[in-house]
Amino acid sequence: MKKLLFIYCVSLILVSCGSSSGSKSNDKITKAEKANPAEYASTITSSELKTMLYKYASDEFEGRNTGEKGQKLAVEYLKEKYKTLNIPTPLGNDDYFQEVPLEKQKVAEGKLTVNGKVFNSFDDLVVLAVSSSLNMSVEDIVYVGFGIDDDKYSDYKGIDVKDKIVLAKAGEPKDANGNFITSGNTEDTKWTNGRQSLSSKREAATANGAKGLLYMDSDMLSKYAIYYQKQHASGIAGRLSLKSNEQDMIMLMVSEALGKAIYASISEDDTPKNLKTTINIEIENKSESIISENVVAYIKGSEKPDEIVVISAHLDHEGIKDGEIYNGADDDGSGTVAILEIAEAFKLAELAGNGPKRSILFLHVTGEEKGLLGSKYYTDNDPIFPLENTVANLNIDMIGRTDPERTIGTKNYIYLIGSDKLSTDLHNISEEANTNFTKMELDYKFNDDNDPNRFYYRSDHYNFAKNNIPVIFYFNGTHADYHKPTDTPDKIEYDLLETRARLVFYTAWEVANRKERIVVDKASK
């Protein structure tokens, strides 16, 4: 707050001097308008980051589990910070919270009857998603092979699945050389990579209008069934999901035995077709609805207010497990407090008459640990600003530590992911910002399309990228304390956190203030 008062006073002095100096006033005003971003970046300090993070990642916030008490305390903390900085909310009045409706799922029990044979939960199926209890008979099942819908290969081409139940199997076809058909190599794709393949095939079914998906993957089922059965026996609520189109989709993972009961040739035949098989689906759903919150604040652009630069980080973490608090100092307390400092720097610039030409949205999303839920709600359900007006997303997720596996180079580095995937302009701006100001090692190790970690798909920026919005994901890599109760604020390297936060600020400054909007010259994968 002292910084805000100081800059405000300086701006008043400049205006006063400029209005009383005769012919020299124009020179002084011109110099004042030629803002130096370093002046504002210098207000992003390790000491303030440390003070905020020791609070935000303290036991008081109980690990910030989505929808729980600690997460509610966290969003109130962020709201008060923005109010203190006098940075408004785009929602109007005092409403800094974008409500995100979620379903707190308790394990649903299901039973499928195929030609008189009964298949039960945990033996041959698990219910992954359902909006309510149901008892329905289905006569038309559409077999969609691998359930892939990609530019290079689609199981949905030429077949109508609207409002129907589809049956798909795990995997992806390969070419004559043994390479996956969508990528042309042997590395796992989003259609074959565990949980991501499950999500990708669900989204493909939803996009094509299906009302339900039966997904045959015996290997995954064997793992899921044990976990779901344990959750069911304990009565503890399981995963969270958006109460939206995802919840309207009925989704069951089924065994090979059940898959073959529906279509005997499923293992050998990849050709989509309509099946004349009658099945009865009974599901008892005991899930409950809850509300979580994204926190939103913004600075309105001075010249192009309808064009939006989004700076994001997730506000949630793992909560309390077995009596231990998972504080999440690096993941993603570091990104959260970085945004607060970046927001303050832009506010100082605005008070000095150097506000950004484009609007900047400071977006703290909930439910990242539960499946990128808050960012998905923002992009897919309720974008506060139209996505077509969104210039870029700079997403910060873990920037306070160093990667112990990184043995080459200095510790003054940052991993950048996605900067060149959609926009050459954005990549070049990022490089120039670093060259001119922060001079870190920009490491693109995890930016490789074939990176087995697939980090590009694992944080909130991806929900923007899939909508062809250029992104940069700022990341320090994982470490021994990742998703452990030992991820505490005393282990943060605050000098690195300061430098990395400044890089995000410099990049956002250029994106927000350059004459022309950055160009999207590549399509989302």
Side-chain angles (χ1 to χ4, degrees):
M1 195 64 184
K2 290 180 180 178
K3 288 188 285 188
L4 288 172
L5 291 173
F6 173 76
I7 295 293
Y8 182 65
C9 291
V10 170
S11 65
L12 287 177
I13 292 170
L14 286 172
V15 171
S16 175
C17 292
S19 62
S20 61
S21 301
S23 62
K24 294 182 180 181
S25 63
N26 288 336
D27 291 337
K28 290 188 176 182
I29 292 173
T30 300
K31 289 178 182 178
E33 288 177 345
K34 291 182 178 179
N36 178 9
E39 175 183 356
Y40 308 108
S42 67
T43 68
I44 299 171
T45 65
S46 58
S47 60
E48 289 196 356
L49 289 163
K50 184 175 183 179
T51 298
M52 289 190 291
L53 190 53
Y54 263 84
K55 175 72 172 180
Y56 194 75
S58 68
D59 287 355
E60 176 187 350
F61 288 76
E62 299 182 354
R64 310 185 302 276
N65 194 18
T66 303
E68 302 294 336
K69 174 187 172 184
Q71 182 253 297
K72 302 296 183 183
L73 292 173
V75 298
E76 289 292 340
Y77 174 83
L78 295 173
K79 172 183 175 179
E80 290 307 312
K81 282 293 183 183
Y82 283 113
K83 290 178 69 176
T84 300
L85 293 171
N86 199 28
I87 298 175
T89 166
L91 300 176
N93 299 322
D94 195 35
D95 187 5
Y96 286 81
F97 300 155
Q98 180 187 40
E99 291 191 344
V100 180
L102 301 173
E103 194 81 5
K104 195 172 188 178
Q105 294 190 334
K106 290 187 177 180
V107 175
E109 285 189 90
K111 180 173 73 174
L112 260 69
T113 304
V114 184
N115 297 324
K117 186 174 182 179
V118 177
F119 298 86
N120 293 302
S121 277
F122 316 127
D123 294 324
D124 284 292
L125 64 97
V126 292
V127 180
L128 299 178
V130 66
S131 58
S132 61
S133 297
L134 59 86
N135 187 335
M136 61 187 295
S137 181
V138 182
E139 295 183 353
D140 294 319
I141 304 291
V142 182
Y143 175 54
V144 291
F146 294 99
I148 295 171
D149 192 8
D150 187 88
D151 290 341
K152 296 181 179 179
Y153 173 89
S154 177
D155 288 303
Y156 288 91
K157 187 175 181 179
I159 193 162
D160 180 17
V161 301
K162 186 171 177 55
D163 296 325
K164 297 180 180 179
I165 301 289
V166 299
L167 171 66
K169 61 183 177 181
E172 176 181 334
K174 296 182 178 181
D175 61 23
N177 297 317
N179 296 315
F180 286 119
I181 200 162
T182 63
S183 65
N185 59 55
T186 60
E187 299 291 336
D188 271 333
T189 71
K190 70 177 185 177
W191 305 106
T192 64
N193 189 43
R195 290 176 61 185
Q196 189 186 5
S197 67
L198 195 64
S199 174
S200 298
K201 294 185 180 185
R202 181 196 65 229
E203 290 176 1
T206 301
N208 282 279
K211 70 177 180 181
L213 171 63
L214 308 179
Y215 183 60
M216 189 186 83
D217 189 331
S218 292
D219 290 338
M220 286 187 74
L221 178 66
S222 64
K223 300 171 185 176
Y224 273 59
I226 295 171
Y227 173 76
Y228 274 61
Q229 190 167 27
K230 183 179 178 180
Q231 291 288 103
H232 179 263
S234 70
I236 299 173
R239 76 182 187 98
L240 288 174
S241 59
L242 284 178
K243 192 175 181 181
S244 61
N245 288 338
E246 177 183 346
Q247 282 295 21
D248 294 335
M249 164 70 74
I250 304 164
M251 185 171 183
L252 281 69
M253 186 183 294
V254 303
S255 67
E256 185 175 1
L258 177 47
K260 286 185 173 180
I262 299 171
Y263 179 47
S265 300
I266 186 171
S267 297
E268 300 81 28
D269 186 7
D270 303 340
T271 306
K273 55 178 58 69
N274 292 294
L275 305 175
K276 295 299 181 183
T277 303
T278 300
I279 65 173
N280 193 74
I281 305 174
E282 297 178 58
I283 299 175
E284 183 181 7
N285 180 33
K286 298 179 180 179
S287 299
E288 59 181 294
S289 298
I290 65 169
I291 295 293
S292 188
E293 300 87 12
N294 292 333
V295 179
V296 290
Y298 93 130
I299 293 176
K300 187 175 182 178
S302 60
E303 295 182 17
K304 301 174 184 291
D306 293 335
E307 294 185 14
I308 313 298
V309 179
V310 178
I311 305 177
S312 64
H314 70 89
L315 59 88
D316 62 307
H317 195 55
E318 295 281 304
I320 301 174
K321 298 179 181 179
D322 298 323
E324 291 191 278
I325 297 174
Y326 286 60
N327 300 99
D330 193 25
D331 185 15
D332 187 26
S334 61
T336 300
V337 298
I339 288 187
L340 290 173
E341 280 286 89
I342 292 166
E344 183 179 26
F346 273 110
K347 183 63 180 181
L348 294 171
E350 183 186 50
L351 286 175
N354 297 308
K357 293 179 180 179
R358 294 176 177 84
S359 297
I360 299 181
L361 178 68
F362 306 104
L363 174 64
H364 300 263
V365 291
T366 189
E368 189 270 354
E369 303 289 0
K370 310 301 182 184
L372 316 184
L373 299 181
S375 57
K376 182 175 182 179
Y377 183 78
Y378 181 92
T379 60
D380 295 10
N381 295 71
D382 186 24
I384 294 171
F385 297 101
L387 296 185
E388 59 267 25
N389 292 355
T390 303
V391 176
N393 169 229
L394 307 181
N395 182 51
I396 313 168
D397 192 352
M398 299 174 60
I399 60 167
R401 298 278 296 270
T402 54
D403 181 356
E405 300 296 321
R406 188 178 186 272
T407 58
I408 299 175
T410 71
K411 78 170 191 175
N412 187 32
Y413 77 96
I414 187 69
Y415 291 125
L416 295 187
I417 303 172
S419 65
D420 63 346
K421 292 190 183 296
L422 296 171
S423 173
T424 304
D425 279 349
L426 182 59
H427 178 75
N428 291 340
I429 287 169
S430 171
E431 287 276 340
E432 290 170 9
N434 183 61
T435 299
N436 294 335
F437 297 106
T438 49
K439 304 185 189 309
M440 287 188 292
E441 291 184 22
L442 303 185
D443 193 327
Y444 297 96
K445 171 183 177 180
F446 296 120
N447 193 53
D448 189 329
D449 287 344
N450 297 320
D451 169 41
N453 296 285
R454 300 184 68 75
F455 287 126
Y456 178 64
Y457 303 95
R458 289 172 52 183
S459 191
D460 294 294
H461 59 278
Y462 181 66
N463 282 318
F464 289 88
K466 73 183 186 184
N467 286 288
N468 285 312
I469 296 169
V471 302
I472 301 178
F473 173 23
Y474 300 87
F475 181 51
N476 55 222
T478 58
H479 42 72
D481 301 307
Y482 174 64
H483 281 192
K484 300 284 179 61
T486 49
D487 181 9
T488 50
D490 57 297
K491 295 177 181 176
I492 298 297
E493 299 183 64
Y494 290 95
D495 57 337
L496 293 180
L497 178 54
E498 174 188 284
T499 305
R500 292 162 175 173
R502 288 182 179 183
L503 174 62
V504 180
F505 171 78
Y506 284 123
T507 304
W509 178 279
E510 176 59 25
V511 173
N513 287 300
R514 73 199 309 258
K515 183 177 180 180
E516 301 296 334
R517 176 173 173 166
I518 63 172
V519 175
V520 179
D521 51 16
K522 301 172 187 177
S524 178
K525 296 181 180 180

